[in-house]
């Protein structure tokens, strides 16, 4: 596993973004682990988060695209901090764009904020995490409505590696359904590999009990 992936896993733990216990996902699944990017709350945390995303984006897509689109609301800061990181790390001048939940009819009108999307633009979508793959179905029509654009892919922070609407993973289903390439900074398999029975700052984050709960979860919801 690359060093930056190990650092990102520890970064999530430090920021209280990656938690283990009893949670319910947006899709209604009872899960023993939860990733909440809303807990990245300071400037320094967002700066580092953007750098991790930028590394994953560059590794998968390079920087030959025009717009980084972050769906409202969590995608807004993700798109901003990552475009800054792409500029600082790779010298890439990429516009950030997000949607509004309601169309604005005065001043800066329309459904978008940030850089406008125009015909011919190459777009990468940035999200926090995809569980069942439902949100992309809401995001793509917004982008496609702006013109003849090329949506190149979707990047998330963590691939939960569980089923979407069928038996394949949500990210795999998105690739097959929409014809776009997906990637994540880390997968849950990498998270487990790095944290299972391995002390971090004097504490074992994933012990045998938590590991058993994760295994049971994947027995039920794991991608085939």
């Amino acid at each position: 596993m690359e060093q930056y992936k190990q650092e990102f896993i520890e970064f999530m733990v430090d920021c209280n973004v990656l938690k283990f216990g009893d949670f319910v996902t947006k899709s209604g699944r009872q899960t023993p682990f939860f990733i909440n990017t809303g807990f990245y709350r300071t400037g320094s945390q967002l700066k580092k988060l953007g750098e991790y995303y930028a590394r994953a984006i560059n590794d998968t897509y390079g920087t030959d695209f025009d717009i980084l689109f972050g769906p409202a609301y969590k995608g807004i800061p993700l798109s901003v901090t990552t475009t800054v990181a792409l500029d600082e790390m790779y010298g890439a001048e990429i516009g950030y764009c997000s949607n509004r939940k309601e169309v604005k009819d005065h001043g800066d009108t329309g459904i978008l904020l940030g850089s406008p999307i125009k015909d011919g633009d190459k777009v990468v979508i940035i999200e926090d995490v995809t569980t069942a793959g439902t949100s992309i179905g809401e995001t793509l029509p917004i982008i496609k409505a702006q013109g003849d654009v090329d949506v190149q892919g979707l990047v998330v922070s963590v691939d939960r590696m569980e089923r979407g609407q069928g038996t394949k993973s949500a990210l795999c289903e998105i690739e097959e359904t929409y014809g776009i390439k997906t990637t994540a900074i880390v997968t849950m398999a990498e998270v487990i590999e790095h944290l299972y029975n391995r002390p971090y700052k004097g504490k074992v984050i994933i012990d045998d009990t938590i590991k058993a709960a994760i295994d049971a979860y994947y027995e039920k919801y794991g991608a085939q």
Side-chain angles (χ1 to χ4, degrees), residues 5 8-9 12 18 29 33-35 37 53 56 127-133 154-164 168-175 182-192 214 217-218 221-223:
K5 290 176 177 278
F8 178 66
I9 293 166
M12 287 194 291
L18 174 62
R29 295 174 180 174
F33 58 92
F34 199 74
I35 299 106
T37 57
Y53 266 112
E127 291 191 358
D128 54 350
V129 64
T130 295
T131 302
L154 165 69
V155 58
V156 298
S157 60
V158 181
D159 178 358
R160 288 181 59 102
M161 301 179 67
E162 59 193 83
R163 295 199 309 269
K168 296 181 179 180
S169 74
L171 291 183
C172 184
E173 286 183 353
I174 288 169
E175 289 192 346
T182 64
T183 193
I185 304 174
V186 295
T187 66
M188 271 308 296
E190 290 169 330
V191 170
I192 295 165
I214 294 172
Y217 183 77
Y218 279 118
Y221 295 115

Side-chain angles (χ1 to χ4, degrees), residues 5-188:
K5 290 176 177 278
Q6 298 178 32
E7 292 173 359
F8 178 66
I9 293 166
E10 294 170 1
F11 174 63
M12 287 194 291
V13 173
D14 290 340
C15 295
N16 208 28
V17 166
L18 174 62
K19 301 179 182 180
F20 297 92
D22 293 307
F23 310 96
V24 178
T25 67
K26 183 179 178 181
S27 58
R29 295 174 180 174
Q30 201 115 24
T31 174
F33 58 92
F34 199 74
I35 299 106
N36 185 356
T37 57
F39 277 83
Y40 296 119
R41 291 173 172 172
T42 70
S44 63
Q45 289 173 345
L46 284 173
K47 183 176 186 297
K48 288 183 70 175
L49 177 62
E51 291 168 354
Y52 289 122
Y53 266 112
R55 177 73 181 269
I57 288 170
N58 184 64
D59 285 354
T60 301
Y61 310 105
T63 57
D64 183 22
F65 64 97
D66 306 290
I67 302 291
L68 186 63
F69 187 90
Y73 290 104
K74 287 182 179 178
I76 297 174
L78 297 182
S79 64
V80 172
T81 190
T82 304
T83 51
V84 172
L86 286 165
D87 173 61
E88 291 181 343
M89 295 169 68
Y90 304 107
E93 186 75 1
I94 292 167
Y96 86 90
C97 182
S98 295
N99 63 297
R100 295 182 170 97
K101 289 291 188 180
E102 296 177 354
V103 177
K104 189 178 179 185
D105 60 3
H106 62 279
D108 182 18
T109 59
I111 196 172
L112 302 183
L113 57 89
S115 180
I117 300 175
K118 60 186 185 299
D119 285 349
D121 277 348
K122 299 174 183 175
V123 181
V124 172
I125 301 168
I126 185 169
E127 291 191 358
D128 54 350
V129 64
T130 295
T131 302
T134 52
S135 61
I136 194 74
E138 302 168 1
T139 301
L140 274 175
I142 295 171
I143 298 173
K144 296 285 190 178
Q146 309 310 311
D148 183 15
V149 300
D150 176 14
V151 179
Q152 297 197 324
L154 165 69
V155 58
V156 298
S157 60
V158 181
D159 178 358
R160 288 181 59 102
M161 301 179 67
E162 59 193 83
R163 295 199 309 269
Q165 304 303 312
T167 59
K168 296 181 179 180
S169 74
L171 291 183
C172 184
E173 286 183 353
I174 288 169
E175 289 192 346
E176 293 184 353
T177 302
Y178 302 104
I180 62 177
K181 191 172 185 179
T182 64
T183 193
I185 304 174
V186 295
T187 66
M188 271 308 296

